[in-house]
Amino acid sequence: MMNILGVTPYNTKMTPFQKAIKIYPPLLSDTYAKDVVREVKDSLLKKYRSGKLEVVGKYTFLLPDFYAACEYWFGGIENPNGLLSDKEVFCNLFKKSDKLDCLRSPHLYMEHAIRFNVASDGYGDRVSKIKEWFTTNAVYTSVHDLISKILQFDVDGDKSLVVAEPDFVRIAERNMNGVVPLYYNMRKADPTLLNNKTIYDGLNAAFTHGNIGIYSNDISKIWNDDVFVEGSKEEQGEAIDVVKLLCMENNFCIDSAKTLYMPERPDWFKPVVSKYTKKKLPAFFKYAKDKEKEQVETRNQSFVNKIFDRIPNKAINTKGLNLGSIDYRLMMNNVNVVCSEEVANLYNELNRKYRYMINMKDEYIDNLRYVACQIRKLFSKTGYSDEIIADMLVEYLYGHEKRYKQLLWFCYGQCVVNSLEKNIQIKKTKFIQCINCGEWVEVDIDSKRIRCDDCFDIERRRIEREKKRKQRMSHQLTK
């Protein structure tokens, strides 16, 4: 539940509600917390069933081998060697992963580049030398590698999704056997004067050809067609060829406003592509794009549709957590404050108006500062300070077990957190990043730890083995 609510070491900008739960976990047993968890769970369920799964990976910038660039620019070497060989990348984000899948996500065809990660532990001293040149968390690519053709990237700010999930990498590598990059001769815009006519031509081309959703939806229909479930190799080959051509059309479409060129679809291709695209969208679009049941095909056994059966909708049950009952007085600065009828009525009115806009939001993080200030201004007209209003609302909402507490946490959450910090003695902690695996963990403020629990155990066993080895050697020498 803590993870679902974002109470993790990775969240450096917690909302007041998240801070409060961390200080006082019994808040998880409240109806409001359960409602929040249920909403987050439903959102995750929808995301997973649409094919968006959580993996060990990160979006990061694509960069070239700068050492090779310096060899070329300053050393005059026509064909530089660089620091990376063919099929190698360097990504310091994944020190424990010797293989990575570098892909452009989302993509339309099969653009997976499985590469050896030279930043992993197995490369020893070579890593320290390369780190002198490759100092960021980007993914660095080799000048000997055709990865830029596979992923169709430039090194001017393009990003790759770098995945280190072992199963994902293994499956992608298996499915990339025999797959070669798509290549076609893209048009370039002719040099021309920038005037009203050329600006109009560009805008006209953008509105005429710029609907890339048509191509990506058609490609989704093909990849999830029954041909890949029960079709022959020849039928599947034809479907893949159609995907390749649609992918090409999509890229021409993207560039059409710039180049003012869009190829015309030949007559022979129209009946071939319509054989697949005349169907409805795949079943998982119900979750991916909020389509109605009538707008999608019946769920078949295509890959993404099969995920539905692997993502169960489990009920949330907090009875076994032994969280204890909530003592709402710990959330108050002055426990003798009782909510006035005027403040209670104003809260009910404003919460009905704003609760859907501000639910699980933060006034600073979500750029809703103006809304929060306007609401607090209305409460201040009752003549009470923010601290007293916060105490009143805690007494009214938690003391009388009201369900809807969105407005309290949005506008006065920090006041509640301040009261909790005053009333509950909590140990001071800090976050450290494990020097082995990179995982962030919370430790006591005075702790000298540099590793997470798992890596600490591994290191302790290594030291014990080394100690026993030295003892054996010493014993043999004494003989």
Side-chain angles (χ1 to χ4, degrees):
M1 291 177 73
M2 289 284 198
N3 285 334
I4 284 178
L5 291 169
V7 186
T8 67
Y10 298 99
N11 187 355
T12 58
K13 294 182 179 179
M14 289 190 190
T15 65
F17 183 58
Q18 291 167 334
K19 294 177 186 175
I21 286 173
K22 185 180 177 185
I23 298 169
Y24 191 44
L27 281 172
L28 287 170
S29 63
D30 179 55
T31 52
Y32 173 66
K34 290 178 184 177
D35 288 343
V36 171
V37 171
R38 191 174 293 108
E39 287 177 29
V40 175
K41 186 209 74 169
D42 290 343
S43 174
L44 291 175
L45 188 76
K46 180 180 174 184
K47 187 169 73 170
Y48 297 156
R49 286 179 169 177
S50 71
K52 297 175 183 176
L53 304 179
E54 291 186 19
V55 295
V56 179
K58 187 171 178 63
Y59 285 94
T60 189
F61 289 109
L62 287 153
L63 292 180
D65 185 336
F66 288 123
Y67 189 90
C70 289
E71 284 181 316
Y72 179 80
W73 289 331
F74 309 122
I77 302 172
E78 188 67 26
N79 296 303
N81 288 321
L83 296 175
L84 298 174
S85 303
D86 190 20
K87 309 296 182 190
E88 288 184 346
V89 296
F90 185 93
C91 188
N92 203 40
L93 289 168
F94 306 104
K95 299 173 186 174
K96 292 291 182 183
S97 303
D98 61 339
K99 269 188 180 181
L100 300 172
D101 182 9
C102 305
L103 60 146
R104 300 299 293 273
S105 180
H107 61 216
L108 300 178
Y109 181 52
M110 298 174 71
E111 293 85 5
H112 293 264
I114 314 301
R115 294 295 183 266
F116 294 102
N117 181 26
V118 183
S120 63
D121 296 339
Y123 288 87
D125 295 338
R126 190 180 169 199
V127 178
S128 56
K129 181 186 175 184
I130 294 177
K131 275 186 175 179
E132 294 177 10
W133 284 83
F134 301 165
T135 59
T136 73
N137 286 331
V139 55
Y140 294 84
T141 58
S142 170
V143 292
H144 307 287
D145 198 347
L146 287 176
I147 188 172
S148 61
K149 289 296 182 187
I150 297 172
L151 304 185
Q152 290 292 305
F153 68 81
D154 302 315
V155 285
D156 58 1
D158 287 6
K159 282 188 173 184
S160 169
L161 173 60
V162 182
V163 178
E165 190 83 48
D167 287 337
F168 191 98
V169 173
R170 177 177 52 80
I171 294 166
E173 187 172 29
R174 184 185 71 214
N175 281 276
M176 285 300 290
N177 284 334
V179 177
V180 295
L182 298 182
Y183 180 77
Y184 30 87
N185 186 18
M186 296 291 288
R187 291 293 183 93
K188 285 193 167 107
D190 295 327
T192 184
L193 290 172
L194 187 62
N195 53 39
N196 288 340
K197 182 180 184 309
T198 54
I199 292 172
Y200 172 80
D201 290 340
L203 288 170
N204 186 55
F207 281 102
T208 305
H209 306 298
N211 189 359
I212 61 173
I214 294 173
Y215 303 100
S216 57
N217 283 350
D218 284 347
I219 290 170
S220 294
K221 291 177 184 178
I222 298 171
W223 282 129
N224 291 275
D225 194 275
D226 284 327
V227 69
F228 292 106
V229 178
E230 53 195 27
S232 65
K233 288 290 183 184
E234 291 76 17
E235 290 170 331
Q236 291 178 9
E238 180 191 67
I240 291 173
D241 287 341
V242 173
V243 169
K244 293 175 183 177
L245 289 165
L246 286 174
C247 189
M248 180 199 69
E249 282 190 333
N250 180 75
N251 286 329
F252 271 108
C253 171
I254 291 169
D255 285 355
S256 62
K258 181 171 61 178
T259 63
L260 302 183
Y261 175 79
M262 183 69 192
E264 188 176 343
R265 183 175 285 185
D267 293 335
W268 65 266
F269 184 58
K270 293 175 183 176
V272 178
V273 71
S274 63
K275 183 165 62 174
Y276 305 99
T277 59
K278 65 184 178 183
K279 296 182 179 179
K280 298 176 185 176
L281 292 164
F284 73 87
F285 269 61
K286 177 182 176 183
Y287 305 101
K289 299 293 183 182
D290 293 319
K291 297 297 182 183
E292 298 296 330
K293 187 177 179 180
E294 300 76 28
Q295 295 176 285
V296 298
E297 292 285 332
T298 304
R299 187 179 298 107
N300 63 2
Q301 290 299 297
S302 74
F303 180 77
V304 184
N305 282 332
K306 282 197 290 186
I307 289 175
F308 177 88
D309 298 320
R310 308 292 293 183
I311 310 293
N313 186 4
K314 293 184 177 180
I316 294 173
N317 188 353
T318 60
K319 291 181 181 178
L321 297 179
N322 298 319
L323 294 169
S325 57
I326 297 173
D327 183 356
Y328 69 87
R329 293 171 298 179
L330 295 173
M331 303 160 64
M332 297 174 66
N333 184 53
N334 183 353
V335 296
N336 297 314
V337 169
V338 177
C339 187
S340 70
E341 186 177 350
E342 181 185 10
V343 171
N345 290 338
L346 180 60
Y347 178 86
N348 291 332
E349 177 187 339
L350 293 175
N351 197 60
R352 276 194 297 271
K353 181 178 179 181
Y354 288 104
R355 74 183 187 209
Y356 296 110
M357 177 196 297
I358 62 175
N359 190 30
M360 297 186 289
K361 303 288 187 184
D362 180 86
E363 60 178 295
Y364 297 101
I365 299 170
D366 298 293
N367 199 25
L368 292 169
R369 171 79 171 155
Y370 176 78
V371 176
C373 289
Q374 290 298 106
I375 294 172
R376 282 194 288 263
K377 188 175 179 182
L378 292 173
F379 275 105
S380 68
K381 290 181 180 179
T382 60
Y384 301 107
S385 67
D386 286 351
E387 288 74 19
I388 292 177
I389 290 173
D391 285 348
M392 284 184 172
L393 293 178
V394 168
E395 189 275 334
Y396 172 63
L397 296 169
Y398 283 91
H400 297 83
E401 297 183 354
K402 301 293 183 181
R403 183 163 197 144
Y404 301 109
K405 304 178 177 77
Q406 291 91 339
L407 203 70
L408 165 67
W409 288 106
F410 177 69
C411 290
Y412 299 100
Q414 191 55 50
C415 294
V416 178
V417 170
N418 294 342
S419 298
L420 284 171
E421 289 175 341
K422 186 187 83 168
N423 296 325
I424 298 176
Q425 295 298 317
I426 55 172
K427 292 191 298 183
K428 290 187 176 181
T429 61
K430 64 181 179 180
F431 292 110
I432 63 160
Q433 188 173 22
C434 175
I435 63 168
N436 290 117
C437 68
E439 183 75 17
W440 285 89
V441 291
E442 188 173 10
V443 298
D444 290 342
I445 193 73
D446 298 321
S447 174
K448 300 291 192 293
R449 284 180 56 182
I450 55 175
R451 293 180 175 88
C452 66
D453 290 339
D454 291 340
C455 291
F456 176 80
D457 290 339
I458 294 169
E459 180 65 11
R460 180 174 51 80
R461 289 195 293 269
R462 186 194 68 78
I463 293 172
E464 288 175 356
R465 286 195 303 270
E466 185 67 17
K467 185 179 178 181
K468 288 178 180 178
R469 186 184 67 82
K470 288 180 179 179
Q471 286 174 347
R472 286 194 299 270
M473 289 179 64
S474 175
H475 182 67
Q476 289 171 358
L477 288 172
T478 56
K479 284 183 178 181

